Amino acid sequence: MDKVNFHFEIDGENFTSAGEASVRIKKMLREMGFTPEIIRRVSVAMYEGEINMVIHANGGEADVNVFCDRIEIILADRGPGIPNIDLAMQEGYSTAPDNIRSLGFGAGMGLPNMKRYTDDMKIESEVGKGTTIVMTVNV
Amino acid sequence: MQIKKIAELLNAEILCGADRVDSVANSAFACDMMSDVLAFVRDQGVLLTGLCNPQVVRTAVMMDMKCIVFVRGKRPTEEVVRLADESGIVVMATEERMYASCGVLYANGLPGGEIANG
């Protein structure tokens, strides 16, 4: 097995459906026989990323590549970009509007959670162009 | 603590998963911020919350939780209940407020358990 790819279009218009891709990935990884811990780490990291894409970037694309030794999650959007990545990585820092907080997100925990649940996370972002995040969980 | 005991203590109405109320949860987490649930829950089986949208269910699914208790008389939509039922999660609703709900469950032996990333 070289790799197995799962691709998702993330709808940026609909907060209600945000997270559907992550739930599907969770089911697929379970069917593939990964341990509950690995499945939780991948699905939580992806879920936070999906929510971020809907809140900040009007959606985007998500790819999950399953290799024999690792699972890679690639989230790419054409949103406004992140001007200061170090600041965005701080727990509690958020630019989410109040209406998002009333929905249970925007506590400034998204990016820190994504980093916490993965073995590696790289962020490439350009203001006005978009953001691509690549996360890896070793299996 | 059996989930049916939680419903009894909180005088809660079970909205889905009545056939799964014999299962046991060893600890609980109470929060309205789903990002905090994602950050801090380790193996808590029960989520108490006053937030009432589909993201509550998806968050509980992510953390492999067994039961969601909606407090303060909050009633989830049928869509939210259906989503939880499909995921095997028991949903109940109580008129009790968050503080009182937690206090009753804690006093009856349902602890907070260890938190992740603590």
Side-chain angles (χ1 to χ4, degrees):
Chain A
M1 179 180 81
D2 188 16
K3 73 170 180 182
V4 177
N5 170 263
F6 300 102
H7 178 81
F8 303 92
E9 301 286 331
I10 309 298
D11 180 2
E13 300 293 324
N14 190 353
F15 185 81
T16 300
S17 65
E20 282 180 351
S22 305
V23 171
R24 283 170 60 194
I25 276 295
K26 182 161 184 144
K27 283 181 186 157
M28 289 169 188
L29 294 178
R30 192 180 293 141
E31 285 166 11
M32 292 172 87
F34 287 99
T35 65
E37 181 65 20
I38 293 291
I39 294 169
R40 183 186 290 193
R41 290 173 60 203
V42 170
S43 55
V44 170
M46 182 169 166
Y47 182 52
E48 288 280 22
E50 226 187 311
I51 294 283
N52 271 354
M53 288 165 89
V54 174
I55 293 173
H56 297 287
N58 199 29
E61 296 183 5
D63 282 279
V64 177
N65 296 317
V66 181
F67 298 89
C68 53
D69 62 342
R70 68 192 189 281
I71 299 170
E72 184 181 70
I73 309 152
I74 304 170
L75 306 171
D77 69 58
R78 293 188 195 83
I82 305 171
N84 185 334
I85 292 173
D86 288 341
L87 189 59
M89 286 302 301
Q90 287 182 16
E91 284 192 11
Y93 178 81
S94 175
T95 58
D98 284 346
N99 68 314
I100 293 300
R101 265 181 275 277
S102 70
L103 294 168
F105 290 89
M109 296 298 284
L111 286 172
N113 273 352
M114 289 158 70
K115 185 173 176 62
R116 183 178 286 145
Y117 280 104
T118 55
D119 291 302
D120 185 64
M121 180 166 96
K122 289 187 175 65
I123 304 176
E124 284 183 15
S125 189
E126 192 173 341
V127 173
K129 294 269 178 74
T131 300
T132 298
I133 297 180
V134 180
M135 296 177 282
T136 306
V137 173
N138 297 326
V139 299
Chain B
M1 181 182 285
Q2 276 190 309
I3 289 174
K4 64 183 176 190
K5 178 75 172 173
I6 294 171
E8 183 189 316
L9 288 168
L10 300 179
N11 195 24
E13 181 185 350
I14 292 171
L15 304 179
C16 76
D19 56 328
R20 298 186 288 272
V21 294
D22 286 337
S23 65
V24 172
N26 295 319
S27 54
F29 192 84
C31 196
D32 285 353
M33 288 306 289
M34 294 302 109
S35 282
D36 282 353
V37 177
L38 294 167
F40 297 119
V41 162
R42 177 169 287 174
D43 56 5
Q44 285 82 354
V46 181
L47 173 63
L48 295 99
T49 186
L51 191 70
C52 230
N53 65 39
Q55 303 308 338
V56 174
V57 176
R58 293 207 181 94
T59 299
V61 169
M62 291 299 152
M63 307 317 286
D64 304 308
M65 300 178 104
K66 295 178 177 176
C67 172
I68 301 170
V69 181
F70 289 103
V71 299
R72 300 193 289 273
K74 298 288 177 70
R75 305 292 296 207
T77 62
E78 281 183 22
E79 169 71 12
V80 170
V81 174
R82 186 185 57 78
L83 203 57
D85 202 24
E86 285 173 1
S87 304
I89 294 173
V90 178
V91 173
M92 63 181 79
T94 177
E95 295 297 318
E96 296 285 356
R97 284 164 286 175
M98 179 80 95
Y99 181 76
S101 299
C102 295
V104 166
L105 295 180
Y106 194 92
N108 280 274
L110 185 66
E114 287 184 31
I115 60 166
N117 311 306

